Amino acid sequence: MQDQFLRTALAASLLALPGAAAAKTFVTQAVTVEAETLARGLSNPWGLDFLPDGSALVTERSGQLRLFANGTLSEPIPGVPEVAVVGQGGLLDVAVSPDFAETGVIFLSFSEPGEGGAGTAIARARLVRNEGAARLENVTTIFSMNRKSAAGQHFGSRIVLHPDGTLFFTIGDRGEGDRAQDPADHAGSVLRINRDGTVPEDNPFAGSTDTAPEIWSMGHRNPQGAVFDPVTRSVWTVEHGARGGDEVNRPEAGRNYGWPVISYGVNYSGTKIGVGSEAPGYEQPEYYWDPSIAPSGTAVYQGEMFPEWQGDFLVAALKYHLVARLDRDENGGITDEERLFKGAFGRIRDVNVAPDGSLWLLTDERRGEIIRIFRAGE
């Protein structure tokens, strides 16, 4: 009994460190910021979203969902659907419904096991909190990828809850580029469903007999960043290229974004991809990186703490261990880039804007951390 108590106490001390570490200071182009570690010891944390009371839900790729509240991480929340932990797959994004205060509804993306291997899925659930404990109830898988495979890469999986009441999410090409050009295959697409899993009547391929009706746009390699942008009132995505060619896109209904026919990158072997960087019938990115930064989670800054960054994109990057701040003009166009925190924290998987305007980062490590970025002197 005493050994079990000690193990539990040690685990808790590894997971949450309120105020335990001295803040680091960083001077950016417009503002000086500080960083503090809120929690550590997470197993490759992947997604985070805030609840109305300022606490946060965070996913671990190994299959756990935890609640971070009052400076402490909870034990794994029971009720998470069965997850295929394979390669880049596992429990991935989490999104809190805008009406959470009334409904308790959240959404999860994950790699779902099934015939043929695994594929991206979306679950809807109700989070119940009672005397400090939490659990999931009424867990329902509302979307399941139509062709599972044994590959362990390119699940995509970022979720966006659109103000129109629909749910956008991303799926990568699952390591088979040609699937992104198959209109009957969910792979390599941005998809849009209603929050009960049905297909919106105004989807571009609703009612089609030869195109998956959930598809919003196609020709995407592996979009691990997606966000609703209040500046342009549209969804933007950020996706991994191969060797170079990471892209920022503004997916429009029914459009094809080219992978693997066009790309600004090359294959890992150095050979040419497709026909080059452009071709008729394929859309151009709004911005791209060459060499690659391996981008992941993305946010639009909307908050009071950093008015200098208002409306800018913040993109987490696994390579070079940084956050890319994309400066934008009044119409939402990308005009410049600043690279923040390079090499300071390790692989950065996600970036989120907290209710107080600070930034919360997730580091994609076996002992991953939640890091808070705040204005110096606050």
Side-chain angles (χ1 to χ4, degrees):
M1 180 67 75
Q2 185 177 18
D3 288 344
Q4 178 62 39
F5 174 80
L6 291 173
R7 285 195 295 269
T8 301
L10 177 60
S13 68
L14 291 173
L15 286 169
L17 298 168
K24 297 180 181 179
T25 300
F26 300 88
V27 178
T28 75
Q29 290 176 0
V31 60
T32 299
V33 304
E34 295 183 76
E36 62 178 347
T37 300
L38 298 179
R40 68 162 57 114
L42 288 153
S43 174
N44 298 100
W46 209 95
L48 182 147
D49 202 5
F50 293 95
L51 298 172
D53 64 359
S55 60
L57 291 170
V58 59
T59 62
E60 295 174 286
R61 186 160 50 81
S62 51
Q64 294 76 237
L65 175 68
R66 296 182 189 268
L67 176 68
F68 183 79
N70 302 316
T72 302
L73 273 166
S74 73
E75 293 296 313
I77 296 171
V80 171
E82 182 183 2
V83 171
V85 182
V86 52
Q88 299 169 2
L91 183 60
L92 301 171
D93 206 12
V94 56
V96 175
S97 179
D99 62 0
F100 178 87
E102 294 77 39
T103 65
V105 168
I106 67 167
F107 298 89
L108 298 168
S109 68
F110 62 103
S111 52
E112 178 188 48
E115 183 178 354
T120 302
I122 303 292
R124 173 188 172 113
R126 181 170 175 258
L127 179 71
V128 178
R129 298 170 67 178
N130 185 20
E131 296 182 355
R135 67 183 186 277
L136 297 184
E137 293 184 346
N138 304 327
V139 181
T140 304
T141 298
I142 60 171
F143 170 87
S144 183
M145 191 175 182
N146 61 4
R147 179 183 157 196
K148 294 179 171 63
S149 63
Q153 68 266 47
H154 300 185
F155 290 91
S157 284
R158 203 60 71 176
I159 300 171
V160 176
L161 298 177
H162 197 284
D164 69 4
T166 62
L167 185 154
F168 284 77
F169 60 101
T170 63
I171 300 181
D173 66 7
R174 299 292 284 110
E176 301 174 76
D178 290 343
R179 293 182 63 179
Q181 291 298 322
D182 182 351
D185 193 331
H186 288 139
S189 300
V190 175
L191 303 99
R192 177 179 182 247
I193 58 176
N194 292 316
R195 294 180 191 178
D196 62 0
T198 58
V199 175
E201 294 181 356
D202 58 348
N203 264 15
F205 305 110
S208 172
T209 58
D210 55 7
T211 301
E214 299 90 352
I215 290 178
W216 178 261
S217 62
M218 57 188 294
H220 300 278
R221 184 175 182 270
N222 189 27
Q224 289 190 353
V227 65
F228 176 77
D229 172 31
V231 178
T232 59
R233 304 294 299 174
S234 59
V235 172
W236 291 59
T237 60
V238 181
E239 65 185 81
H240 288 266
R243 206 169 111 190
D246 300 335
E247 295 184 358
V248 179
N249 287 301
R250 183 181 171 185
E252 296 186 49
R255 301 291 180 90
N256 190 321
Y257 289 80
W259 177 259
V261 181
I262 62 171
S263 174
Y264 281 90
V266 297
N267 290 309
Y268 293 114
S269 64
T271 58
K272 182 180 178 181
I273 294 173
V275 301
S277 60
E278 57 184 279
Y282 302 102
E283 305 302 317
Q284 287 291 301
E286 301 288 334
Y287 190 81
Y288 70 91
W289 287 273
D290 187 14
S292 171
I293 65 168
S296 190
T298 304
V300 178
Y301 189 79
Q302 297 284 312
E304 297 182 359
M305 187 173 289
F306 300 114
E308 301 88 347
W309 297 345
Q310 197 73 8
D312 291 348
F313 285 129
L314 299 163
V315 181
L318 303 168
K319 189 178 178 183
Y320 306 126
H321 304 170
L322 57 84
V323 172
R325 182 183 67 83
L326 302 182
D327 196 17
R328 299 204 293 160
D329 61 28
E330 60 184 12
N331 297 315
I334 298 170
T335 59
D336 200 3
E337 177 183 352
E338 179 184 12
R339 297 190 172 188
L340 308 172
F341 322 124
K342 186 174 181 179
F345 306 121
R347 290 160 51 89
I348 302 178
R349 173 62 69 184
D350 200 13
V351 54
N352 297 269
V353 181
D356 67 357
S358 64
L359 306 183
W360 286 28
L361 313 180
L362 296 181
T363 64
D364 183 21
E365 308 288 348
R366 289 184 179 179
R367 287 173 46 81
E369 299 180 342
I370 302 174
I371 296 168
R372 178 176 179 262
I373 307 296
F374 57 98
R375 197 176 193 92
E378 297 257 331

